[in-house]
Amino acid sequence: MAKYDYDLITIGAGSGGVRASRRAAGLGKRSAVIENLRVGGTCVMRGCVPKKLLVIGSHFADDFEDAAGYGWQAVSPDFSWPRLIAAKAAELDRLEDVYHRILREAGVEEITGTGRLADSHTVEVDGKAMTAETILVCTGGWPKMPDIPGIEHAITSNEALDLPELPKRIAIVGGGYIAVEFAGIFNGFGADVTEIIRAPQILRGFDEDARDVLAHEMEKKGIHIMRETVVRSIEKCEGGFSLRFPYGKELEADLVMYATGRSPNTSGLGLEEAGVKLDDKGAILVDEFSKTAVDNIYAIGDVTERLNLTPVALAEAEAFINTVYRDTPTAMDYANIASAVFSQPPIGSVGLSEAQARSQTDIDVYVSRFTPMKYTLSGRDEKTMMKIVVDQKTDRVLGCHMVGLDAPEIIQGLAIALKCGATKAQFDATIGIHPTAAEEFVTMREKRED
Ligand code: NDP
């Protein structure tokens, strides 16, 4: 008789958990996955997927306007927020069904409830104990908000994706991915958006030119960015909420949204009692093979706060499977992972920012700014910016950054080149596709003067 009920119990059926549990089952392992919300996790149910659908939806406002420049009779069609939210909800239901089917067909047992470690081999779900040789924790993260008076009036991205109606005036606090993306969504749908950031500029960590260009384009679209500003309190007032700032300033809004980062979901899981170590932010500490301080307990995805992106969680799941079940210890490679911000216009980025590269070596920088072809006839005042950061000594391309139409699609291709260690000479030797925006990346010849 088997020593344990399962070979693998996975806690959390988000991107990483679904991938790992079904891969294990595919290798003949007795695999169960525990989830207390919807299968699919943050990305599919409360993040990337619904957010991108809203980004696509809101961009039509520009597209209708631009069509007039191409001879279409100008139209201003009616927009229904509830219709969009219902269509998005139906798509998420469809995706959830797909996930259930994938798990079922792989032979994974789905367990609904909240899992808690009773000891290093035992998980309890609503009072029922089950044992496994290996336990994988991938419980993701959850929005966090600062503890200020009136914070209970604010919503997070979770609720923003399901608002019953579109508010007229929205205040968004935070300058990260989520804040910037929702500012673009609500602005596209015609709301009056104010983004409040405590730093001098949005998107800390991104290339400085990309940050400046995006902020400028957002402001041109009418998004008001309040810089170096901290909200002191939120009060309910007639018709909405009043945000109070130091020095007596105030802002009224119908909706206040906080996007001030996310915290790993580790409390109440019995992790520390089982011997798993957490860092000071509550993230699970793991080694290069995603192993925790306990030999048979592993953790992947946002709960480990390494690089909180869905494709990273998927890759960490594959590395975990190789390590534990294929006898091939695999450490995840975090170098040159491309990412995007689905702002309007979007950002695509891979490799080092100019400042990061400059702190490591001598560099050359190539920058191109232009009006995308689509906007020539439509007359839209929106610029694209592309940038290449090159190591002077080795000629290797260290970073590529773009703000503008299709940036995430273009940067994904360039990420392969950077992964292969491409040099600027190889970029130059690549023949462009004309007429595209992407060809600029292989035709920039003039170094920027420092
Ligand atoms: P981020 O960590 O990206 O940004 C948090 C923002 O909130 C920063 O601007 C930060 O300011 C600000 N902030 C933090 N605490 C406070 C506070 N007390 N008062 C005011 N401002 C504060 O978090 P997000 O919530 O935007 O996103 C969470 C994660 O989700 C990201 O790290 C990313 O990995 C992932 N994600 C990825 C997306 C994508 O790939 N397209 C999209 C959405 C999310 P400061 O800069 O000054 O610290």
Side-chain angles (χ1 to χ4, degrees), residues 51 146 173-179 181 198-199 204 259-262 308-309 340-342:
K51 175 272 311 283
V173 182
Y177 285 82
I178 297 181
E181 292 177 340
R198 64 182 180 183
R204 184 161 54 84
T260 45
R262 296 173 62 86
N308 294 353
L309 299 170
V341 185
F342 292 96

